[in-house]
């Protein structure tokens, strides 16, 4: 091993460690809270990519794209675990599949050409909204007795897919509270949203892989997807997603939701400062 390569590897070890831990936390959060592991990995990636030579104006793009790609194995593990417990609504998944896939693909194409301020602003605003849902006593809030059908349901699925792809998150972050306020039991909402993560992450990742950044990005970056970052994050998130899904059926969620809500409030604030500061 050459001295220069050894030095480069030693410099990258802290970054690799941070990404590996974020993958473990993201997978567990995805399975446990149904919020989508990307809500953890995107801010960690966005901060860490400065050490990998990614230009500042494209760190958010690479973080979002890589996070979405990492959700694919996480969503598979989480959805299988929830399905084995009968918590996946296959009828709703069939009805929402096409509009959600279309929304995710369109969202990734739009995000590929959006400036940093737009991506950071969208992420920060949605993080604040989800933090409010987790911190405030809205657990029993209901606005409808069932999920909208027909055109209304299709538009809702498209919106969830598009915004999730722009944020680099699984569908759970938006889908769980949406299903919950439409009368879904929380465990069924989490289980169904885990499958939505697959419907969003696959077409969204394809859109980011097809992107052509106007400037050179580090080695092993295809489009906006960092293959190196993906290789570090994905294994851990896939492992802990199953553990999180099991824990979600056994633990009281209120205090966990409050703690995660504080985390999202801090992350959202930082992203909004990036967008408007």
């Amino acid at each position: 091993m050459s001295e220069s390569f050894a030095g480069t590897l030693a410099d990258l070890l802290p970054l690799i460690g941070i990404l590996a831990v974020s993958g473990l936390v993201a997978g567990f959060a995805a399975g446990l809270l149904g919020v989508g592991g990307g809500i953890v990995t995107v801010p960690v990636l966005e901060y860490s990519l400065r050490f990998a030579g990614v230009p500042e104006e494209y760190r958010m793009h690479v973080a979002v794209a890589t996070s979405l790609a990492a959700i694919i194995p996480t969503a598979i593990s989480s959805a299988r675990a929830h399905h084995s417990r009968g918590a996946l609504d296959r009828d709703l998944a069939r009805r929402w599949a096409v509009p959600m896939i279309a929304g995710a693909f369109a969202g990734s194409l739009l995000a590929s050409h959006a400036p940093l301020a737009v991506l950071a602003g969208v992420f920060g605003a949605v993080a604040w909204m989800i933090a409010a849902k987790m911190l405030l006593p809205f657990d029993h809030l209901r606005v409808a007795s069932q999920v909208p059908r027909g055109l209304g349901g299709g538009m809702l699925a498209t919106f969830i897919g598009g915004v999730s792809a722009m944020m680099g998150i699984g569908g759970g972050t938006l889908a769980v509270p949406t299903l919950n306020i439409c009368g879904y039991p929380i465990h069924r909402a989490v289980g169904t949203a885990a499958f939505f993560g697959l419907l969003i992450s696959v077409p969204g990742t394809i859109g980011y892989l097809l992107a052509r950044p106007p400037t050179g990005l580090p080695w092993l970056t295809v489009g906006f997807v960092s293959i190196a970052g993906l290789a570090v994050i994905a294994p851990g998130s896939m492992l802990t997603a199953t553990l999180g899904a099991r824990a979600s059926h056994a633990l009281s969620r209120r205090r966990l939701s409050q703690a995660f809500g504080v985390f999202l409030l801090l992350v959202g604030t930082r992203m909004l400062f990036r967008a408007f500061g």
Side-chain angles (χ1 to χ4, degrees):
M1 180 182 295
S2 68
E3 184 176 345
S4 61
F5 179 80
T8 300
L9 182 60
D11 292 338
L12 289 177
L13 283 178
L15 173 62
I16 293 172
I18 291 172
L19 295 181
V21 171
S22 73
L24 293 170
V25 175
F28 192 78
L32 180 66
L33 298 171
V35 295
I39 206 75
V40 176
T41 55
V42 167
V44 173
L45 266 171
E46 191 272 336
Y47 178 80
S48 303
L49 286 169
R50 68 183 62 196
F51 304 110
V54 179
E56 182 178 5
E57 62 268 31
Y58 295 112
R59 287 175 198 155
M60 192 67 182
H61 297 75
V62 176
V64 165
T66 306
S67 171
L68 200 64
I71 288 170
I72 295 175
T74 305
I76 293 172
S77 296
S78 183
R80 288 180 63 184
H82 285 291
H83 179 60
S84 67
R85 288 166 173 78
L88 196 159
D89 187 336
R90 288 183 290 181
D91 178 63
L92 181 64
R94 282 193 295 267
R95 285 192 280 122
W96 278 19
V98 172
M100 188 167 281
I101 289 171
F105 186 69
S108 65
L109 293 180
L110 178 62
S112 296
H113 297 88
L116 167 65
V118 171
L119 295 186
V122 169
F123 194 99
V126 175
W128 264 22
M129 288 169 29
I130 302 305
K133 171 68 171 63
M134 290 184 161
L135 291 171
L136 299 176
F138 290 157
D139 290 348
H140 302 292
L141 176 66
R142 299 290 183 271
V143 298
S145 58
Q146 61 180 7
V147 177
R149 302 181 71 90
L151 180 60
M155 292 176 63
L156 186 58
T158 302
F159 173 80
I160 291 174
V163 173
S164 297
M166 291 187 71
M167 291 180 64
I169 60 177
T173 304
L174 297 176
V176 168
T178 299
L179 294 178
N180 196 217
I181 64 176
C182 290
Y184 264 60
I186 186 62
H187 290 112
R188 193 162 180 80
V190 170
T192 305
F195 180 72
F196 290 161
L198 190 60
L199 298 181
I200 293 168
S201 58
V202 172
T205 298
I206 292 173
Y208 285 119
L209 287 170
L210 295 175
R212 293 294 176 263
T215 187
L217 294 176
W219 182 63
L220 284 181
T221 302
V222 180
F224 281 117
V225 179
S226 170
I227 305 301
L230 177 62
V232 176
I233 293 172
S237 64
M238 190 173 180
L239 171 66
T240 54
T242 302
L243 299 177
R246 291 174 182 170
S248 74
H249 291 267
L251 297 178
S252 171
R253 298 164 53 86
R254 187 61 195 150
R255 288 190 178 180
L256 290 169
S257 293
Q258 289 175 334
F260 205 73
V262 172
F263 168 77
L264 290 183
L265 195 62
L266 296 174
V267 168
T269 301
R270 178 179 178 274
M271 287 296 182
L272 290 174
F273 270 116
R274 288 293 308 276
F276 304 110

